Amino acid sequence: QVPLVESGGGSVQAGGSLRLSCAHSGNTYTYYTMGWFRQAPGKEREGVAAIETGGGTYYVDSVKGRFTISQDNAKKALYLQMNRLSPEDTAMYYCAAASYRFWLLGWGASAWPYWGQGTQVTVSS
């Protein structure tokens, strides 16, 4: 298993911004689609954003217009720029990867085989 390592989490006030990073050692075939998921206490893990090697991006409605997913294949890094954060965004954020296109994966966490350990994001009101 090729590890995924998240960083960039922290505490921020509502309306603020954070940028998450995910370092990996995979390639564009192993990690054709990469994504960010989050899990708040007592809730199921939910998808946030995903990006394919070809550049296609996908977002859940709750983050559209506020979050931007990007990747740097040369640096083997995935990013999530989060703006206009609200307390509802508080969660552990996970980097995930899969060898398939997003339409085959969807937002179901069980479909994604590779996961990082997570980084905590806390937004205070």
Side-chain angles (χ1 to χ4, degrees):
Q1 181 176 352
V2 183
L4 304 169
V5 181
E6 303 96 335
S7 61
S11 297
V12 64
Q13 289 190 330
S17 299
L18 281 174
R19 187 192 195 209
L20 305 183
S21 299
C22 174
H24 65 85
S25 54
N27 56 50
T28 54
Y29 298 101
T30 305
Y31 290 171
Y32 187 87
T33 302
M34 298 194 72
W36 290 98
F37 286 71
R38 64 187 180 187
Q39 188 167 18
K43 295 187 177 181
E44 292 188 356
R45 192 168 298 189
E46 63 174 3
V48 175
I51 186 168
E52 293 179 327
T53 294
T57 56
Y58 308 86
Y59 298 93
V60 294
D61 288 344
S62 61
V63 306
K64 284 181 180 177
R66 300 189 300 124
F67 291 10
T68 303
I69 190 170
S70 61
Q71 61 186 1
D72 186 328
N73 292 327
K75 294 183 178 180
K76 294 186 181 295
L78 177 73
Y79 306 103
L80 184 68
Q81 177 66 44
M82 306 185 294
N83 299 326
R84 304 201 321 266
L85 285 160
S86 72
E88 289 70 32
D89 296 314
T90 295
M92 185 72 79
Y93 282 70
Y94 297 90
C95 175
S99 304
Y100 305 105
R101 295 199 64 175
F102 179 76
W103 71 271
L104 288 169
L105 300 167
W107 293 121
S110 61
W112 297 65
Y114 306 112
W115 292 89
Q117 295 300 307
T119 185
Q120 178 68 37
V121 172
T122 302
V123 185
S124 59
S125 57

